Amino acid sequence: MVLHSRINHAFRQLKEYMGETPLWAKASTGALSSRPVAYFSLEFGLHESVPIYSGGLGVLAGDHIKTASSLGVPLVAVGLFYSQGYFRQRLNAEGWQEEEYLQTQVADLPMQPACGKDGKPITVSISTRGNQLLAKVWVVRVAA
């Protein structure tokens, strides 16, 4: 019962936080508040539950995203999602690096397909040398 109560409390706090309109960005950024900034990075260290980063630069990019959320800066992060995430590494007894790839179950991640006004998932088509590369667009909502 105590766990259930704590989860409900955390959920209510998150819902309240996400519903607030942070004042700093509105008061300090002028025209920016109505136009989101695009932040491009190959990795974002948002949380260990979303394995789309491997180290320092990804953690820094994740910190930028979370700070923008706290300040109410409208920001859209654009990156890549690898179904296996980044590998985990360790050194074996001989001192050699060993990689471990984990199969990520997308259904278990805090992300969902981005959908257009028609309700269908959004995909992006990129022309390459005689081929088309299709990318599915995913959404991860970030609150600091």
Side-chain angles (χ1 to χ4, degrees):
M1 190 64 169
V2 173
L3 178 61
H4 185 266
S5 175
R6 294 175 92 186
I7 291 170
N8 278 335
H9 178 70
F11 174 75
R12 285 192 310 274
Q13 283 184 313
L14 176 63
K15 197 171 179 179
E16 183 179 310
Y17 170 80
M18 293 300 285
E20 291 178 6
T21 304
L23 300 177
W24 182 88
K26 230 175 190 13
S28 305
T29 60
L32 175 64
S33 64
S34 64
R35 297 182 182 159
V37 172
Y39 189 114
F40 294 88
S41 180
L42 292 177
E43 53 183 295
F44 293 98
L46 301 171
H47 187 268
E48 63 189 31
S49 66
V50 186
I52 56 174
Y53 68 100
S54 65
L57 291 178
V59 172
L60 179 61
D63 287 347
H64 287 158
I65 302 290
K66 292 182 271 189
T67 299
S69 173
S70 293
L71 296 172
V73 174
L75 187 133
V76 175
V78 180
L80 299 174
F81 172 69
Y82 301 96
S83 62
Q84 289 184 323
Y86 286 87
F87 64 79
R88 293 185 182 173
Q89 59 186 345
R90 63 179 165 271
L91 297 178
N92 66 18
E94 290 80 38
W96 291 95
Q97 174 182 301
E98 291 182 345
E99 301 85 21
E100 176 187 10
Y101 287 92
L102 304 173
Q103 187 62 38
T104 303
Q105 299 298 322
V106 177
D108 295 338
L109 298 178
M111 56 193 273
Q112 57 204 21
C115 293
K117 291 180 182 179
D118 60 1
K120 295 180 182 176
I122 298 172
T123 57
V124 177
S125 177
I126 302 164
S127 296
T128 62
R129 296 180 183 165
N131 293 313
Q132 290 287 92
L133 177 65
L134 290 176
K136 188 172 185 178
V137 179
W138 293 89
V139 174
V140 177
R141 302 221 184 266
V142 176

